[in-house]
Amino acid sequence: MVNCCGLVTVKNEQVPLKSIAVEVSVQGHVATVSSTLQYENQEQSPLEAIFVFPLPGEAAVCRFSAKIGQTEVVAEVQEKQKAQEQYDDALSSGQQAFLLEESDESPDVFKLSVGSLPPGEKASVSLDYVTELAVQADDGLRLCLPAVLNPRYQPQGSDSGSGGSAQVSSVPAGSVPYSLSLSAHVSSPHPISRVESNCPLDPLNYLNTEKTQATVSLAAGHQFDRDVELLLYYQDTHQPTAIVEAAQASAKPGSLMGDPVVMLSLYPEFPKDVMSSMTSHGEFLFVVDRSGSMECPMHLGSGSQDRIGSARDTLLLLLKSLPMGCYFNIIGFGSSYESFFSKSVEYSQKTLDEALQKVKEMRADMGGTEILQPLKHIYSQPCLPDQPRQLFLFTDGEVGNTKEVLDLVKTNAGSHRCFSFGIGEGASTALISGVAQQATGHAQFITGQDRMQPKAMQSLRFALQPAVVDISVKWNVPKEVSVTPLSPPIRVLFQGQRALLYAQLTGESSGDTEGSVTVKYSLAKQPVENQLSFILKPAEDTGMTVHRLGARTLIQSLEVEEREQDGEKEGVKEKVIELSIQSGVSSAFTAFIAVHKGDGEALQGQLLRRQVAHTDVESKGMFTDRLGF
């Protein structure tokens, strides 16, 4: 075990991370997270440090700044290659510079380069991102601050790119030499019932009698040795809501930032008679990660179950709950893959007993995390007539070729629905949420025994719901106002599950100040219609959170389009870059660059470079990173 954390040299020597302070602002279903990290160069030479860290896959970085001594520099978004060149030029001329970029392989991994930090100097790095909050099985909204970036396995023959997602290190439990302070301000259209966490909290402090605003903080002295999970519970969670956010005053009208943006939280209600006829058909394929990293514990601390044990428990529960007469199979994968049965078998007491015994014997003994081949095998098999295919994926998400996997799932999305389970802290949110989104399913994160059962059963209930087809969204606004959707078309709806929609509103209404959106779809061959009305007048200042999430949604759709076209369709990459720069939101093709144009002298001698050291998780067993966001 390498005794290091955060910024380290290739010799595993520390660049001391002194403290982390996090402020969270929650508005209903979305949040802005501001983190500040304090570093100190205790070397005798100027230092370049490289730090690889995780963010939620659905997050959008929207501000980055650095302070050295009393001087603060605020980063700007530029095309990635241009930013990299400017960073290199700054270092060679003796200036201090900072570069923040997204990994080439996975959108939930970022690399921060801290350049030319003088001997004895302190640096403060601040990062803001916006994110949607996932709805849990018990209706709580989940905000996770990842402390852990599990090493990502890069399959043989894959191009690891330059994103740095394989640059990893580890630190033993109890050795994290810094603590975390965290405070959250929560605002909701509905009263806040309670806030829970896997870490000790100070008491919830309500700011008004309606209980729609409150503050909460982590108890003092928290060691950032695990993911910090906040669960927010509101009254009337399933009520649809709409937020209209005012335009940015300095932006040009007609541009995304120069127009109001609306965010709708929809909760479709299915007719009771349809829901009473839940399907008992289906082909249920359970794909289980049996790579070496699944031997790791779910989280740090004594008594933690290992990940393969949690996957087994979740799978056993699901198998016992399947409807009689359906079909099923179980596929384990690592460096290779193997199926319990040569093809899917009918669910009966005999086949269930046989499967349960095999599941109990499953071990994390299959090497690396190569998920593409078992998926390709499944997609090559014909679907069974009148048995809709439902894929259940269990993995800790430690793969380095996330974008390649997501593209494969999307290509085959028409043949199945995918319900994914991220097992253990640090599971890749980009992979787990991404496969479920691309294959019109649902994602769950299992970090302990406490909420495993309701999450597993919720996903099974969703899988047994009839598929919603022919979904259409119609906007009804005054004729002076035009609507530009920022979200991709809705492709999946489940009873009681939230759908978020973003749209740009151009123009102003002279009279009517109300708009509405109508969602129509077909369910079990019955037409269904849900409608939500909203006021066009923008709400109070919300810090551009909705605009940035809308921009991120559009950017992600365009990035997928660019990959599908393999760069052949002109203008898509340029549109992403333009949108990223205009909105100040990160993308695969841009980076944040900050240069302190001080009295730097041209660099003499070699700049000491430190980076997060590489370890091979699948061959060496248990490695986790303590990375400080």
Side-chain angles (χ1 to χ4, degrees), residues 137 314 317 446 448-458:
T314 311
L317 176 64
I446 310 290
Q449 285 291 321
D450 52 344
R451 289 186 297 277
M452 181 269 283
Q453 184 168 343
K455 289 182 177 183
M457 296 312 294
Q458 182 190 48

Side-chain angles (χ1 to χ4, degrees), residues 277-338:
S277 61
M278 297 276 272
T279 179
S280 60
H281 302 292
E283 179 192 21
F284 295 85
L285 300 178
F286 300 96
V287 183
V288 184
D289 187 345
R290 291 176 54 186
S291 63
S293 61
M294 290 290 285
E295 282 186 334
C296 296
M298 296 286 286
H299 55 78
L300 292 182
S302 59
S304 175
Q305 184 182 30
D306 58 18
R307 298 175 193 169
I308 192 68
S310 177
R312 276 197 304 265
D313 288 349
T314 311
L315 180 52
L316 289 169
L317 176 64
L318 288 167
L319 283 173
K320 292 174 183 177
S321 306
L322 290 177
M324 297 300 285
C326 72
Y327 285 75
F328 77 104
N329 202 352
I330 300 166
I331 300 103
F333 73 92
S335 299
S336 58
Y337 64 91
E338 60 183 37

Side-chain angles (χ1 to χ4, degrees), residues 402-603:
T402 300
K403 291 180 181 178
E404 200 177 349
V405 174
L406 296 183
D407 290 344
L408 175 68
V409 173
K410 183 176 182 183
T411 302
N412 294 276
S415 66
H416 71 301
R417 292 193 289 193
C418 182
F419 299 87
S420 54
F421 293 84
I423 307 293
E425 288 189 353
S428 166
T429 55
L431 179 77
I432 307 303
S433 299
V435 293
Q437 182 180 2
Q438 296 299 345
T440 60
H442 183 68
Q444 304 277 16
F445 290 87
I446 310 290
T447 54
Q449 285 291 321
D450 52 344
R451 289 186 297 277
M452 181 269 283
Q453 184 168 343
K455 289 182 177 183
M457 296 312 294
Q458 182 190 48
S459 287
L460 182 58
R461 284 195 302 273
F462 284 167
L464 292 172
Q465 287 182 20
V468 173
V469 296
D470 301 330
I471 304 172
S472 67
V473 176
K474 182 182 179 184
W475 295 85
N476 310 292
V477 294
K479 62 180 185 296
E480 303 95 334
V481 179
S482 62
V483 177
T484 306
L486 303 174
S487 305
I490 299 177
R491 296 188 297 123
V492 58
L493 287 173
F494 294 112
Q495 166 73 26
Q497 182 60 18
R498 181 199 67 194
L500 283 181
L501 285 181
Y502 301 91
Q504 176 181 344
L505 304 174
T506 305
E508 289 187 27
S509 169
S510 54
D512 197 356
T513 60
E514 189 171 282
S516 67
V517 64
T518 304
V519 182
K520 295 182 179 180
Y521 47 91
S522 180
L523 183 67
K525 298 183 179 179
Q526 286 190 30
V528 185
E529 183 176 309
N530 294 150
Q531 188 176 69
L532 170 64
S533 297
F534 58 92
I535 303 298
L536 289 169
K537 188 174 184 294
E540 69 280 359
D541 178 35
T542 47
M544 306 309 290
T545 302
V546 173
H547 277 75
R548 287 170 176 143
L549 283 169
R552 179 59 171 160
T553 301
L554 183 54
I555 285 170
Q556 287 177 325
S557 299
L558 292 169
E559 286 173 347
V560 171
E561 183 181 336
E562 202 272 343
R563 288 202 304 275
E564 287 176 343
Q565 303 289 337
D566 202 19
E568 293 180 5
K569 186 175 179 181
E570 291 186 13
V572 178
K573 181 176 179 180
E574 289 73 18
K575 189 172 181 180
V576 170
I577 293 170
E578 180 187 356
L579 188 58
S580 176
I581 292 173
Q582 180 201 140
S583 62
V585 165
S586 56
S587 78
F589 307 124
T590 53
F592 283 84
I593 174 74
V595 177
H596 176 213
K597 297 181 173 61
D599 301 324
E601 299 178 7
L603 203 58

Side-chain angles (χ1 to χ4, degrees), residues 14 69 125 185 314 342 509 599 612 619 628:
Q14 287 183 277
V125 176
H185 181 280
T314 311
S342 59
S509 169
D599 301 324
V612 182
S619 62

